[in-house]
Amino acid sequence: VDDRRIGLDIVPVHDAVARITAPTLVVSGTDDVAAPPDDGELLASRIRGARHAVVPGGRHLLGVERADELNPLLLEHLR
């Protein structure tokens, strides 16, 4: 996946992502065509210590479409 595809080639975004120091969870849905899992993996790889999780069958609105799968990931991350 190319940085340009997900906007990481934009200097302010790339710089901001690289400066994130908070524990970070990037969540992708397997069926998200707007931000597919490969993009989430790339984004997570640019954030030191970030974790990438993938929700099977999830599309772009995971909080609405797959809340039962997303919420436990978020709760685990926040503990």
Side-chain angles (χ1 to χ4, degrees):
V1 174
D2 186 320
D3 279 2
R4 292 181 304 259
R5 182 158 172 250
I6 62 172
L8 289 180
D9 64 320
I10 302 168
V11 173
V13 172
H14 190 273
D15 289 347
V17 168
R19 288 193 309 264
I20 294 173
T21 59
T24 302
L25 173 65
V26 176
V27 184
S28 303
T30 57
D31 298 341
D32 187 342
V33 296
D38 286 348
D39 291 359
E41 183 64 35
L42 179 61
L43 180 60
S45 76
R46 305 302 166 119
I47 302 168
R48 185 181 307 262
R51 180 173 159 240
H52 180 231
V54 178
V55 175
R59 295 182 301 208
H60 199 66
L61 299 174
L62 292 174
V64 174
E65 301 165 351
R66 294 281 198 246
D68 289 345
E69 291 95 344
L70 176 63
N71 289 340
L73 293 169
L74 297 175
L75 289 171
E76 177 187 329
H77 176 72
L78 293 171
R79 290 185 183 164

